[in-house]
Amino acid sequence: IDDLLRVDRFHMEQYVYILNRMNSIQEADGSSLLDNSLVTYGSGLGDGATHQYNDLPIVMAGGGDRVKSGQHINMPEGTPLANLWLTQLRCLGINRDRYADSTGIIDDIQT
């Protein structure tokens, strides 16, 4: 378990590194590269021991004023992960009605 914790810590440190780096890059309009991007880190399994795909640990950063930040969202069981991808597309200005097996957007994310 200690090895797994070290690997997880390394990956999270790399995630933070890239977020900080993107935040330091200024775009022509004064916003940052991070403001104009969405960077998602997570897992396709909620519990690797049982291979269940509910309660996925996912962190999302960026999106500027198009994303409601600083919150923890627990989606109802059975919500397709594709709902997150569809919501992210919308946050980035890509107007799609569906993505893969999505059933809608996640209102708690999009401003």
Side-chain angles (χ1 to χ4, degrees):
I1 197 79
D2 288 340
D3 289 341
L4 178 60
L5 291 173
R6 277 193 287 280
V7 169
D8 286 346
R9 182 177 182 89
F10 172 78
H11 288 146
M12 186 53 70
E13 287 170 347
Q14 296 307 300
Y15 181 69
V16 170
Y17 169 79
I18 194 71
L19 295 178
N20 286 331
R21 186 80 175 94
M22 291 174 75
N23 197 43
S24 72
I25 298 172
Q26 187 173 13
E27 301 273 27
D29 65 359
S31 63
S32 73
L33 178 59
L34 184 59
D35 289 333
N36 297 303
S37 305
L38 287 173
V39 185
T40 305
Y41 175 75
S43 174
L45 293 174
D47 180 354
T50 61
H51 288 214
Q52 62 88 4
Y53 53 90
N54 296 314
D55 300 324
L56 301 179
I58 297 174
V59 177
M60 190 175 89
D65 60 2
R66 297 172 305 245
V67 173
K68 298 176 193 172
S69 63
Q71 58 183 334
H72 174 269
I73 301 170
N74 188 7
M75 299 301 299
E77 189 165 334
T79 301
L81 180 57
N83 286 9
L84 175 61
W85 309 139
L86 178 63
T87 304
Q88 288 183 341
L89 286 171
R90 295 270 188 90
C91 288
L92 293 171
I94 301 169
N95 192 14
R96 300 236 354 219
D97 293 328
R98 295 198 53 152
Y99 181 84
D101 66 342
S102 65
T103 58
I105 64 167
I106 303 171
D107 291 325
D108 290 336
I109 293 175
Q110 192 174 3
T111 59

